[in-house]
Structure formats: C-alpha cells, structure tokens
Coordinates of all heavy atoms in Angstrom, one line a residue:
M975 N 182.0 174.4 52.9 CA 182.5 173.2 52.3 C 182.1 173.0 50.9 O 182.9 172.5 50.1 CB 182.0 172.0 53.2 CG 182.6 171.9 54.5 SD 182.8 170.2 54.8 CE 184.5 170.1 55.1
L976 N 180.8 173.2 50.6 CA 180.4 173.1 49.2 C 181.1 174.0 48.3 O 181.5 173.7 47.2 CB 178.8 173.3 49.1 CG 178.2 173.2 47.7 CD1 178.4 171.8 47.2 CD2 176.7 173.5 47.8
L977 N 181.3 175.3 48.7 CA 182.0 176.2 47.9 C 183.4 175.8 47.7 O 184.0 176.0 46.6 CB 182.0 177.6 48.6 CG 182.5 178.8 47.8 CD1 181.8 178.9 46.5 CD2 182.3 180.1 48.6
D978 N 184.1 175.2 48.7 CA 185.4 174.7 48.5 C 185.5 173.6 47.5 O 186.4 173.5 46.6 CB 186.0 174.2 49.8 CG 186.3 175.3 50.8 OD1 186.5 176.5 50.3 OD2 186.3 175.1 52.0
F979 N 184.5 172.7 47.5 CA 184.4 171.6 46.6 C 184.2 172.1 45.2 O 184.9 171.7 44.2 CB 183.2 170.7 47.0 CG 183.0 169.6 45.9 CD1 183.8 168.5 45.8 CD2 181.9 169.7 45.1 CE1 183.6 167.5 44.9 CE2 181.7 168.8 44.1 CZ 182.5 167.7 44.0
I980 N 183.3 173.1 45.0 CA 183.1 173.6 43.7 C 184.3 174.3 43.2 O 184.7 174.1 42.0 CB 181.9 174.6 43.7 CG1 180.6 173.8 44.0 CG2 181.7 175.4 42.4 CD1 179.4 174.7 44.3
G981 N 185.0 175.1 44.0 CA 186.2 175.7 43.6 C 187.3 174.8 43.2 O 188.0 175.0 42.2
K982 N 187.4 173.7 43.9 CA 188.5 172.7 43.5 C 188.1 171.9 42.3 O 189.0 171.6 41.5 CB 188.7 171.8 44.7 CG 189.4 172.4 45.9 CD 189.6 171.5 47.0 CE 190.2 172.2 48.2 NZ 190.3 171.3 49.4
E983 N 186.9 171.5 42.2 CA 186.5 170.6 41.1 C 186.2 171.3 39.7 O 186.5 170.8 38.7 CB 185.2 169.8 41.5 CG 185.5 168.9 42.7 CD 186.5 167.9 42.4 OE1 186.6 167.3 41.3 OE2 187.4 167.6 43.3
I984 N 185.5 172.4 39.8 CA 185.2 173.1 38.5 C 185.7 174.5 38.3 O 185.6 175.1 37.3 CB 183.7 173.1 38.2 CG1 182.9 173.9 39.3 CG2 183.2 171.7 38.2 CD1 181.5 174.0 39.0
G985 N 186.4 175.0 39.4 CA 186.9 176.4 39.3 C 187.9 176.6 38.2 O 187.9 177.6 37.5
S986 N 188.7 175.6 38.0 CA 189.8 175.7 37.0 C 189.1 175.8 35.6 O 189.7 176.4 34.7 CB 190.8 174.6 37.1 OG 190.2 173.3 36.8
A987 N 188.0 175.1 35.4 CA 187.4 175.1 34.1 C 186.8 176.5 33.8 O 187.0 177.0 32.6 CB 186.2 174.1 34.0
F988 N 186.2 177.1 34.8 CA 185.8 178.5 34.6 C 186.9 179.5 34.4 O 186.8 180.4 33.5 CB 184.9 179.0 35.7 CG 183.5 178.3 35.7 CD1 183.2 177.3 36.6 CD2 182.6 178.8 34.8 CE1 181.9 176.8 36.6 CE2 181.3 178.2 34.8 CZ 181.0 177.2 35.7
Y989 N 188.0 179.3 35.1 CA 189.2 180.1 34.9 C 189.7 180.0 33.5 O 190.0 181.0 32.9 CB 190.2 179.8 36.0 CG 191.5 180.5 35.8 CD1 191.7 181.8 36.3 CD2 192.6 179.9 35.1 CE1 192.9 182.5 36.1 CE2 193.8 180.6 34.9 CZ 193.9 181.8 35.4 OH 195.1 182.5 35.2
N990 N 189.9 178.7 33.1 CA 190.5 178.5 31.8 C 189.6 179.1 30.7 O 190.1 179.6 29.7 CB 190.7 177.0 31.5 CG 191.8 176.5 32.4 OD1 192.7 177.2 32.9 ND2 191.8 175.2 32.6
R991 N 188.3 179.0 30.8 CA 187.4 179.6 29.9 C 187.5 181.1 29.8 O 187.5 181.7 28.8 CB 185.9 179.1 30.2 CG 184.9 179.6 29.2 CD 185.2 178.9 27.9 NE 184.7 179.7 26.8 CZ 184.6 179.4 25.5 NH1 185.1 178.2 25.2 NH2 184.1 180.2 24.6
G992 N 187.7 181.7 31.0 CA 187.9 183.1 31.0 C 189.1 183.6 30.4 O 189.2 184.6 29.6
V993 N 190.2 182.8 30.6 CA 191.5 183.1 29.9 C 191.3 183.0 28.4 O 191.8 183.8 27.6 CB 192.6 182.2 30.4 CG1 193.9 182.3 29.6 CG2 192.9 182.5 31.9
H994 N 190.6 181.9 28.0 CA 190.4 181.7 26.5 C 189.6 182.8 25.9 O 190.0 183.3 24.8 CB 189.7 180.4 26.3 CG 189.4 180.1 24.9 ND1 190.3 179.6 24.0 CD2 188.2 180.1 24.2 CE1 189.7 179.5 22.8 NE2 188.4 179.8 22.9
D995 N 188.6 183.2 26.6 CA 187.7 184.3 26.1 C 188.5 185.6 26.0 O 188.4 186.4 25.0 CB 186.5 184.5 27.0 CG 185.5 183.4 26.9 OD1 185.6 182.6 25.9 OD2 184.6 183.3 27.7
A996 N 189.4 185.9 27.0 CA 190.2 187.1 27.0 C 191.2 187.1 25.9 O 191.4 188.1 25.2 CB 190.9 187.3 28.4
Q997 N 191.8 185.9 25.6 CA 192.7 185.7 24.6 C 192.1 186.1 23.2 O 192.7 186.7 22.4 CB 193.3 184.3 24.6 CG 194.3 184.1 23.5 CD 194.8 182.6 23.5 OE1 194.2 181.8 24.0 NE2 196.0 182.4 22.9
Q998 N 190.9 185.6 23.0 CA 190.2 185.8 21.7 C 189.9 187.3 21.6 O 190.0 187.9 20.5 CB 188.9 185.0 21.7 CG 189.1 183.6 21.4 CD 187.8 182.8 21.2 OE1 186.8 183.1 21.9 NE2 187.7 181.9 20.2
L999 N 189.5 188.0 22.7 CA 189.2 189.4 22.6 C 190.4 190.2 22.3 O 190.4 191.1 21.4 CB 188.6 189.8 24.0 CG 188.2 191.3 24.0 CD1 187.1 191.6 23.1 CD2 187.8 191.6 25.5
V1000 N 191.5 189.9 22.9 CA 192.7 190.6 22.7 C 193.2 190.4 21.2 O 193.6 191.3 20.5 CB 193.8 190.2 23.7 CG1 195.2 190.8 23.3 CG2 193.5 190.7 25.1
Q1001 N 193.1 189.2 20.7 CA 193.5 188.9 19.4 C 192.6 189.6 18.4 O 193.2 190.2 17.4 CB 193.4 187.4 19.1 CG 193.9 186.9 17.8 CD 193.8 185.4 17.6 OE1 193.3 184.7 18.3 NE2 194.5 185.0 16.5
Q1002 N 191.3 189.7 18.6 CA 190.5 190.4 17.7 C 190.8 191.9 17.7 O 190.8 192.6 16.7 CB 189.0 190.2 18.1 CG 188.0 190.9 17.2 CD 188.1 190.5 15.7 OE1 188.1 189.3 15.4 NE2 188.3 191.4 14.8
K1003 N 191.0 192.5 18.9 CA 191.4 193.9 19.0 C 192.7 194.2 18.3 O 192.8 195.2 17.6 CB 191.5 194.3 20.4 CG 190.2 194.3 21.2 CD 189.2 195.2 20.6 CE 187.9 195.2 21.4 NZ 186.8 196.0 20.8
A1004 N 193.7 193.3 18.4 CA 195.0 193.4 17.7 C 194.7 193.4 16.2 O 195.3 194.2 15.4 CB 195.9 192.4 18.1
E1005 N 193.9 192.5 15.7 CA 193.6 192.5 14.2 C 192.9 193.8 13.8 O 193.2 194.3 12.7 CB 192.7 191.3 13.9 CG 193.4 190.0 14.1 CD 192.6 188.8 13.9 OE1 191.3 188.9 13.7 OE2 193.1 187.6 14.1
D1006 N 192.0 194.3 14.6 CA 191.3 195.6 14.3 C 192.4 196.7 14.2 O 192.2 197.6 13.3 CB 190.3 195.9 15.4 CG 189.1 195.0 15.4 OD1 188.9 194.2 14.4 OD2 188.3 195.0 16.4
I1007 N 193.3 196.7 15.1 CA 194.4 197.8 15.0 C 195.2 197.6 13.8 O 195.5 198.6 13.1 CB 195.3 197.7 16.3 CG1 194.5 198.1 17.5 CG2 196.5 198.5 16.1 CD1 195.2 197.8 18.9
V1008 N 195.6 196.4 13.4 CA 196.3 196.2 12.2 C 195.5 196.7 11.0 O 196.1 197.4 10.1 CB 196.7 194.7 12.0 CG1 197.3 194.5 10.6 CG2 197.7 194.3 13.1
E1009 N 194.3 196.4 10.9 CA 193.4 196.9 9.8 C 193.3 198.4 9.8 O 193.4 199.0 8.7 CB 192.0 196.2 9.9 CG 192.0 194.8 9.6 CD 190.6 194.2 9.8 OE1 189.6 194.9 9.8 OE2 190.5 192.9 9.9
A1010 N 193.2 199.0 10.9 CA 193.1 200.4 11.0 C 194.5 201.1 10.5 O 194.4 202.1 9.8 CB 192.8 200.9 12.4
L1011 N 195.6 200.5 10.9 CA 196.9 201.0 10.4 C 197.0 200.9 8.9 O 197.6 201.8 8.3 CB 198.0 200.3 11.2 CG 198.1 200.6 12.7 CD1 199.2 199.7 13.3 CD2 198.5 202.1 12.9
Y1012 N 196.6 199.8 8.4 CA 196.6 199.6 6.9 C 195.8 200.7 6.2 O 196.1 201.2 5.2 CB 196.2 198.2 6.5 CG 197.2 197.2 6.6 CD1 196.9 195.9 7.2 CD2 198.5 197.3 6.2 CE1 197.9 195.0 7.4 CE2 199.5 196.4 6.3 CZ 199.2 195.2 6.9 OH 200.1 194.2 7.1
G1013 N 194.7 201.0 6.8 CA 193.8 202.1 6.3 C 194.5 203.4 6.3 O 194.1 204.3 5.5
L1014 N 195.4 203.7 7.2 CA 196.1 204.9 7.3 C 197.2 205.1 6.3 O 197.7 206.2 6.1 CB 196.6 205.1 8.7 CG 195.6 205.3 9.8 CD1 196.3 205.4 11.2 CD2 194.7 206.6 9.6
E1015 N 197.7 203.9 5.8 CA 198.8 204.0 4.8 C 198.5 204.7 3.6 O 197.3 204.7 3.1 CB 199.3 202.6 4.5 CG 200.0 201.8 5.6 CD 200.5 200.5 5.1 OE1 200.2 200.0 4.0 OE2 201.2 199.8 5.9
R1016 N 199.4 205.4 3.0 CA 199.2 206.2 1.8 C 199.8 205.3 0.7 O 200.9 204.8 0.8 CB 199.9 207.5 1.9 CG 199.3 208.4 2.9 CD 199.9 209.7 3.0 NE 199.3 210.5 4.1 CZ 199.7 211.7 4.3 NH1 200.6 212.3 3.7 NH2 199.1 212.4 5.3
G1017 N 199.1 205.3 -0.4 CA 199.5 204.5 -1.5 C 199.9 205.1 -2.7 O 200.2 206.1 -3.1

C-alpha cells in the first residue's frame, strides 16, 4: 500500500526528472557530434 501511494503521488515527478535528464544528455551528445563534424571539415 505504501509503495502504491508513493508511486501514484511522486512517481511521475521522478519519471519526469529522468526524462529531462535524458533529454539534456542527448542534446549535449548531439552538440558534441556537430562540433566533431565541424572539426573534420576542410577549409
């Protein structure tokens, strides 16, 4: 019962935080890839 209550009341907050953290990580990795590609360009 306590676990059900915790899951219902605050579970979504932890889930949303995890999604936000994952979004930031993917965005940073994409920026790193773009920078690496610019480094490969010949001028």
Side-chain angles (χ1 to χ4, degrees):
M975 290 220 123
L976 179 60
L977 189 55
D978 290 335
F979 172 77
I980 291 171
K982 289 179 184 177
E983 296 300 318
I984 63 173
S986 63
F988 285 106
Y989 174 82
N990 290 340
R991 184 65 204 187
V993 169
H994 177 76
D995 290 347
Q997 181 183 18
Q998 285 185 319
L999 180 63
V1000 169
Q1001 184 176 12
Q1002 182 60 51
K1003 294 297 181 184
E1005 291 172 5
D1006 292 347
I1007 290 169
V1008 169
E1009 289 177 16
L1011 290 172
Y1012 281 133
L1014 293 174
E1015 288 184 354
R1016 296 181 181 180

